Amino acid sequence: MRKVSARAGNWTLARRLIVASIVLVLVIVPIVGLGLSFSFRESASASFDERLASMHKVLLASFELDPATGALTLNDRMADSRFEQVYSGWYWQVSDGDAFTRTSRSLWDQRLPLGRTSGVSWRTIKGPRGQSLRMVEQTLLVPGQKKPVHVSLAVTRRELTAEMARFEWLLWLSLVALSVLLLSGLVLQIRWGLAPLRALHDDLAAVKSGDRERLETQLPGELGELATTMNEVLDHDRRLIERGRAAAGNLAHALKTPVSVLQAQADRLPEAARRQVREEVSRIDAAVRHHLARASAAGSAALTASIDVEKVLAPVVGGLARLAERRGKHLERNFLPGLMLRVDPQDLQELTGNLLENALDWASGRVELSFRLQGDGACLLLEDDGPGMTEEQRQAVLARGVRLDEKRPGSGLGLAIVEDLVTLYGGCLALGEASLGGLSVEVWLPGARCA
């Protein structure tokens, strides 16, 4: 039961409304059908009994007393021809229980059972050939007669039952057609009513993918107000992001000079004190750089437009390629034509620049940079022909500020900053052994496509 409730809890609003409408129709229509069927049965049965009662009165009115003999006679036969057809299901019988008995020709050699009642009574009996008959009967005393006369009139319910069956068939056929039309109308009404919500959903998806910056506000009533409010929230978030990145940049510039002064002042101290002060200042500098780099990152693909990877990285890769040539190394790059990635341009440049600088520092003579599509994202692969790393070293180097060679310049923050950026974008980073013999760095980021 809980699984069904949890599954239903994930339904869309349209599905909820359609299922509710189906349940409502399936409950109401059968109830209405049963009510109409019952009402028709009662009405038809009452009408049938009234007709039978009228014919019974006609039969009673046909009695005559012969003045000469004093005998009871019937002055006329019943007008309906079915009383003349043998076993037609339409019968009448008049009897005093002894010498006088008159029947309709339709009874032939059969007789109707006699009841014991002085008033008018109704009952259902089994007649000739097992026919189910509705019978009205009455025992009365005719003037001039010593014995009471029992008058019976019985008519088969076959026609009534057939009429009821025909009515019910037409009724349920009509109700099914009405249900189909009603559900079709409700589905169209729900789709038309929820169309503005679907438009709002599409706008949100476009904003999330970076194809649009704002939501369309030309929507009905409350939805238009909601879209306007959400646009204000989006604008506010963008201002906060820009303000935060600007503040991070200003803070970096503000701290750069004091740290440089502290490092310069440390050179005037005695050797033992100088070493300790420089280590502490380096730790402060590394921590500040790390957190500033993280604070200045956009950090999410949400609200970020798709960018052309090759265009954004061309300045960074081109500059580092020239730097590699001056060092006697070769940087080979293989961009995927038309690759679009939902990432902030500055973050992608920061990420790729850190990886390339690190690879060029350790490479013996060759570095390869390539891109490929993988799933719904893009994979950046960077390989070098340097000394590489052991498994323990690959795990340790991602820690903030860890450097495998303290003699080389740098803060040891490159891969740590890259890992932070990748994590903030919902991607993943993997270090391994390159086909060139050195280190391979593989970065996967979501939200990629080829134009």
Side-chain angles (χ1 to χ4, degrees):
M1 192 68 179
R2 292 181 179 178
K3 292 182 178 179
V4 175
S5 299
R7 195 179 300 116
N10 295 327
W11 286 358
T12 62
L13 186 59
R15 178 178 292 184
R16 288 169 180 264
L17 292 175
I18 291 174
V19 170
S21 300
I22 292 174
V23 172
L24 193 63
V25 169
L26 291 180
V27 171
I28 291 180
V29 169
I31 292 176
V32 172
L34 291 175
L36 291 175
S37 177
F38 175 79
S39 299
F40 179 78
R41 283 178 173 273
E42 291 296 312
S43 176
S45 297
S47 178
F48 182 81
D49 286 347
E50 288 179 4
R51 182 182 179 188
L52 199 59
S54 298
M55 296 173 66
H56 187 258
K57 290 178 181 178
V58 172
L59 181 62
L60 291 176
S62 66
F63 289 139
E64 285 185 357
L65 189 63
D66 189 344
T69 63
L72 187 66
T73 61
L74 293 174
N75 65 358
D76 195 8
R77 297 281 180 168
M78 299 294 289
D80 197 309
S81 62
R82 284 174 289 190
F83 287 106
E84 302 298 323
Q85 300 172 12
V86 179
Y87 301 143
S88 64
W90 290 63
Y91 312 111
W92 61 262
Q93 174 180 291
V94 179
S95 174
D96 63 0
D98 190 5
F100 179 77
T101 298
R102 297 287 186 274
T103 64
S104 62
R105 178 181 289 274
S106 57
L107 264 176
W108 194 244
D109 58 349
Q110 300 292 315
R111 295 294 181 266
L112 298 176
L114 300 178
R116 297 180 180 180
T117 176
S118 58
V120 178
S121 65
W122 299 82
R123 59 180 172 144
T124 301
I125 64 170
K126 182 172 291 188
R129 296 184 176 180
Q131 296 172 332
S132 178
L133 305 175
R134 179 69 169 166
M135 185 171 74
V136 56
E137 55 187 337
Q138 184 179 5
T139 301
L140 70 161
L141 186 62
V142 180
Q145 295 293 314
K146 296 181 181 180
K147 293 183 178 181
V149 177
H150 190 86
V151 181
S152 304
L153 183 70
V155 175
T156 178
R157 293 176 59 91
R158 183 176 60 249
E159 294 181 1
L160 177 62
T161 302
E163 184 179 357
M164 289 181 176
R166 184 167 56 253
F167 172 80
E168 290 187 353
W169 184 84
L170 292 174
L171 172 64
W172 290 109
L173 181 64
S174 301
L175 289 177
V176 169
L178 176 62
S179 300
V180 172
L181 292 175
L182 186 60
L183 287 175
S184 300
L186 287 172
V187 169
L188 292 176
Q189 180 182 2
I190 290 170
R191 288 188 61 82
W192 178 75
L194 295 181
L197 278 178
R198 290 196 298 272
L200 183 60
H201 175 270
D202 294 340
D203 282 352
L204 283 172
V207 170
K208 183 179 179 181
S209 64
D211 296 333
R212 298 185 60 176
E213 292 187 357
R214 296 174 62 81
L215 301 175
E216 177 61 52
T217 57
Q218 298 299 321
L219 297 171
E222 297 82 357
L223 291 180
E225 297 177 4
L226 176 62
T228 300
T229 303
M230 294 180 70
N231 282 335
E232 294 174 356
V233 173
L234 291 173
D235 293 339
H236 179 68
D237 287 346
R238 289 191 182 95
R239 288 194 298 269
L240 288 180
I241 292 173
E242 294 301 325
R243 188 181 304 167
R245 300 184 74 163
N250 294 336
L251 183 59
H253 286 292
L255 291 175
K256 183 177 180 180
T257 300
V259 171
S260 299
V261 171
L262 288 175
Q263 289 176 340
Q265 293 294 329
D267 293 337
R268 302 179 182 179
L269 298 176
E271 180 62 27
R274 182 169 64 248
R275 185 181 304 108
Q276 183 178 2
V277 172
R278 290 183 67 87
E279 289 177 358
E280 295 300 325
V281 171
S282 297
R283 290 177 57 188
I284 294 173
D285 184 50
V288 169
R289 288 176 181 273
H290 171 78
H291 290 293
L292 287 177
R294 184 165 184 170
S296 62
S300 173
L303 308 181
T304 302
S306 295
I307 61 171
D308 189 317
V309 173
E310 186 172 3
K311 286 184 178 180
V312 170
L313 293 182
V316 176
V317 176
L320 290 175
R322 290 190 293 270
L323 177 62
E325 290 178 2
R326 289 196 294 268
R327 296 182 182 179
K329 302 177 182 180
H330 175 66
L331 172 57
E332 182 177 338
R333 57 270 199 189
N334 182 20
F335 288 102
L336 188 62
L339 178 61
M340 306 295 290
L341 186 62
R342 285 175 52 201
V343 64
D344 184 82
Q346 180 178 333
D347 291 343
L348 183 61
Q349 291 175 348
E350 176 80 13
L351 183 151
T352 308
N354 273 313
L355 291 178
L356 284 175
E357 288 178 359
N358 185 73
L360 290 174
D361 287 340
W362 289 93
S364 299
R366 185 179 181 84
V367 176
E368 291 184 0
L369 172 66
S370 61
F371 291 86
R372 71 174 186 275
L373 285 175
Q374 182 175 325
D376 60 346
C379 186
L380 177 154
L381 179 62
L382 186 63
E383 297 181 309
D384 63 65
D385 60 354
M389 297 182 186
T390 64
E391 180 63 29
E392 293 77 11
Q393 289 174 330
R394 288 197 290 266
Q395 292 178 1
V397 78
L398 292 176
R400 186 177 72 241
V402 172
R403 295 164 56 194
L404 297 181
D405 189 351
E406 295 294 336
K407 295 180 180 180
R408 292 176 179 262
S411 60
L413 292 172
L415 282 177
I417 292 175
V418 169
E419 185 183 34
D420 285 340
L421 284 171
V422 171
T423 302
L424 289 171
Y425 276 95
C428 55
L429 170 68
L431 303 181
E433 185 175 346
S435 58
L436 299 179
L439 179 68
S440 73
V441 181
E442 190 169 357
V443 175
W444 181 85
L445 293 174
R449 61 183 174 84
C450 273

